[in-house]
Amino acid sequence: MTARVGVVTFPGSLDDGDAARAVRIAGGEPVRLWHGDADLHGVDAVVLPGGFSYGDYLRCGAIARFAPVMETIIDAARGGLPVLGICNGFQILCEAHLLPGALTRNQHLHFRNRDQVLRIEATGTAWTNTYQDGQEILIPVKNGEGCYVADPATLDQLEAEGRVVARYLGGNPNGSQRDIAAITNAAGNVVGIMPHPEHAVEALTGPSLDGLGFFTSVLKHLVGAPA
């Protein structure tokens, strides 16, 4: 049976269509989820896409965190549901306390849009198991508030537990502490990433196909998950 991966649309979402397309290209069935509907419609995993949910008012992701669909996702994620937050989705995961730390204004105070090299450092997550440890990938980054910050104890814990999923190489685009581009929770089912893997799944439109592994990884994970 084809895995069903939900993609949430919030008011102001920008990349929900791209995320759904990436799921389809990877071999999954994308299921569109609406921010105001708490029902996840039986999906096997969820993607929180990039964009500007609720216009980024208050803080990026601060309002989206309280959307009806998020109340269900938070509970499901704590029960093991794979959840990937991309860019604004990463911000939402931090606001929902599914991931530690926060994403703040880029240190140089400019929006940054470029193709970015990352090094994959954790391959045991539901979203990165088809990569190799230390593999370098090229995917786009586009954000104005992508600077990952956390207190030193949290950063040390992430490092010690192997929960830094990816780091920036060849220059840090936003000033993120310790060059962190992506992290995971302790269970490995929730991943937040600031760059955009869904924009690197086709040769026609992406700088590479390197982002596809995030989506094939969750399908591989779901095949091996207990029924």
Side-chain angles (χ1 to χ4, degrees):
M1 181 179 295
T2 302
R4 304 174 74 245
V5 180
V7 178
V8 179
T9 298
F10 298 97
S13 289
L14 177 64
D15 299 312
D16 45 338
D18 300 79
R21 182 171 178 81
V23 169
R24 186 179 299 109
I25 291 171
E29 177 188 347
V31 178
R32 305 305 289 265
L33 302 176
W34 184 241
H35 70 105
D37 183 0
D39 189 348
L40 298 185
H41 301 281
V43 299
D44 303 302
V46 167
V47 177
L48 302 178
F52 308 91
S53 58
Y54 296 93
D56 281 348
Y57 287 107
L58 300 182
R59 291 185 308 276
C60 299
I63 298 176
R65 174 261 177 273
F66 292 103
V69 73
M70 281 305 302
E71 297 301 318
T72 309
I73 289 171
I74 290 168
D75 288 341
R78 288 172 176 159
L81 180 77
V83 179
L84 176 66
I86 303 171
C87 195
N88 186 225
F90 188 3
Q91 296 161 341
I92 294 168
L93 289 175
C94 289
E95 289 287 342
H97 304 297
L98 288 174
L99 292 175
L103 285 307
T104 63
R105 185 73 176 161
N106 292 351
Q107 281 192 345
H108 45 67
L109 303 181
H110 296 287
F111 191 92
R112 186 65 77 235
N113 184 1
R114 72 188 193 196
D115 296 334
Q116 176 69 47
V117 179
L118 307 179
R119 182 175 61 239
I120 301 295
E121 299 203 349
T123 58
T125 81
W127 297 93
T128 55
N129 60 69
T130 61
Y131 293 104
Q132 301 296 316
D133 285 327
Q135 183 175 343
E136 295 182 13
I137 67 173
L138 178 68
I139 64 176
V141 62
K142 51 175 189 176
N143 62 73
E145 291 168 299
C147 179
Y148 181 76
V149 298
D151 63 89
T154 297
L155 293 170
D156 289 344
Q157 183 179 22
L158 290 171
E159 300 269 15
E161 295 179 358
R163 291 168 53 193
V164 176
V165 172
R167 293 185 206 269
Y168 298 111
L169 291 183
N172 186 326
N174 45 43
S176 289
Q177 293 178 328
R178 305 192 190 184
D179 297 327
I180 290 173
I183 62 172
T184 184
N185 65 342
N189 63 303
V190 178
V191 168
I193 181 168
M194 184 48 57
H196 288 262
E198 80 282 16
H199 293 330
V201 298
E202 292 182 289
L204 178 64
T205 57
S208 72
L209 304 181
D210 293 347
L212 191 59
F214 281 86
F215 303 95
T216 57
S217 288
V218 75
L219 300 183
K220 177 182 175 183
H221 169 80
L222 291 169
V223 167

